[in-house]
Amino acid sequence: MATDNGQVRGAHRSLRVKAIILVDFLFVSLALVAAGWFAVREYLETPPYVDEARFPVRGIDISAHNGMMNLDAARADGIDFAFIKASEGDRYGDPNFALNYDKATRAGIKVGAYHFFRFDVDGVRQALNMLERVGDRRLDLGLVVDVEQTGNASGVDPALISDRLGAMLEYLGLKGYHVTLYSNRDGYYQYLQGGFGDRPLWICSFSNPPIAADWVFWQYSHRGRVKGINGDVDLNAFNGSTSEWYDHLSEMHSEDFDIQRD
């Protein structure tokens, strides 16, 4: 059968035009999706604005993960307090705890020590591990127990988690320590709100306000930048004025403890 060459050429041109339009459409669509994702990611990763007039007392939390630090420079950059990782589970001790403690105290930074609570380990053994790492060091902010699912064992009975946490807190309390509990929003509602909601709370949250509960400290960013520290560092705020900050420090110690007001 004979075919008109002009019609064939016209059909080919039409197909090419349609193909070009389709490619352009796909390219634009992918660009819009990518732009949208980067915008969402930037929104999710951008720390909430924390009013310095409302929350004038600022701090960090640090561990060996942060490497070597110049905490004198951090203090000069407005850092008032630091929670320093001491331990995890019943065996692990942060290798930089003693060094970070010495640096922070020499710099005039108020310090507390924190322990990452393991769901699958006996609570008293965890308390003993923490106390061994802390030793007889003076802690302006007492002890903190970090309770969260991230990085923890899965499949542990919630009732057993509660029992182990209760045992750890009771043991630390018997030794005379003030204990603050740390968690993110999900962890607070899952593990702390019922049986441990009356204890001082240090909350990790990227919304403002951070949570519909009473809290003492707010970890509002994992991407902070502080002089003297390479890379990102967690940023925190105390829930109160400067005067309330000194009241809080006094509550952490006996009456004969003299708080040095910088």
Side-chain angles (χ1 to χ4, degrees):
M1 181 186 299
T3 304
D4 189 310
N5 290 335
Q7 289 180 340
V8 171
R9 287 194 295 273
H12 286 171
R13 283 196 297 271
S14 178
L15 288 172
R16 284 197 298 271
V17 170
K18 290 179 179 178
I20 291 171
I21 292 173
L22 179 59
V23 170
D24 287 345
F25 173 78
L26 291 174
F27 178 80
V28 171
S29 297
L30 289 172
L32 289 173
V33 169
W37 162 244
F38 283 116
V40 169
R41 189 179 71 173
E42 182 65 21
Y43 171 78
L44 292 174
E45 295 182 353
T46 298
Y49 172 71
V50 178
D51 185 2
E52 291 189 8
R54 172 69 180 83
F55 304 105
V57 181
R58 301 301 180 98
I60 54 178
D61 55 278
I62 53 177
S63 69
H65 174 76
N66 298 102
M68 293 296 105
M69 292 170 281
N70 180 345
L71 294 183
D72 289 299
R75 179 72 184 97
D77 199 25
I79 296 303
D80 300 297
F81 64 89
F83 289 111
I84 305 171
K85 184 171 185 178
S87 52
E88 178 174 335
D90 63 345
R91 298 183 181 182
Y92 179 80
D94 188 285
N96 286 5
F97 172 68
L99 176 63
N100 288 336
Y101 174 90
D102 290 342
K103 287 183 177 181
T105 53
R106 283 199 302 266
I109 295 173
K110 306 304 182 186
V111 298
Y114 78 89
H115 170 94
F116 185 83
F117 179 77
R118 300 292 310 184
F119 293 171
D120 53 350
V121 178
D122 177 78
V124 173
R125 295 209 318 263
Q126 295 195 63
L128 290 169
N129 182 36
M130 185 179 201
L131 294 177
E132 179 183 354
R133 310 298 174 177
V134 169
D136 59 358
R137 294 175 177 86
R138 188 180 76 171
L139 298 170
D140 307 289
L141 302 174
L143 303 179
V144 176
V145 179
D146 175 351
V147 184
E148 57 182 308
Q149 179 63 64
T150 303
N152 230 310
S154 59
V156 182
D157 185 344
L160 186 54
I161 294 172
S162 181
D163 287 346
R164 287 170 172 164
L165 177 59
M168 181 177 186
L169 298 177
E170 182 178 5
Y171 191 91
L172 295 175
L174 290 173
K175 294 297 181 180
Y177 284 95
H178 293 276
V179 183
T180 296
L181 290 174
Y182 167 94
S183 194
N184 51 36
R185 292 165 62 93
D186 290 343
Y188 172 78
Y189 290 117
Q190 187 170 1
Y191 304 113
L192 304 182
Q193 183 182 31
F196 307 102
D198 59 337
R199 289 183 175 269
L201 175 65
W202 172 19
I203 187 72
C204 171
S205 174
F206 305 119
S207 63
N208 190 355
I211 195 170
D214 291 334
W215 55 274
V216 180
F217 294 97
W218 174 18
Q219 184 186 79
Y220 60 89
S221 175
H222 292 323
R223 303 173 63 204
R225 292 294 175 135
V226 173
K227 291 179 181 178
I229 301 176
N230 294 322
D232 295 340
V233 64
D234 296 340
L235 298 180
N236 300 271
F238 169 73
N239 187 15
S241 65
T242 302
S243 176
E244 290 169 325
W245 168 243
Y246 289 120
D247 290 341
H248 180 74
L249 292 175
S250 296
E251 291 173 3
M252 293 292 101
H253 296 275
S254 60
E255 294 180 357
D256 59 355
F257 181 75
D258 182 23
I259 299 298
Q260 298 297 317
R261 295 177 180 256
D262 299 329

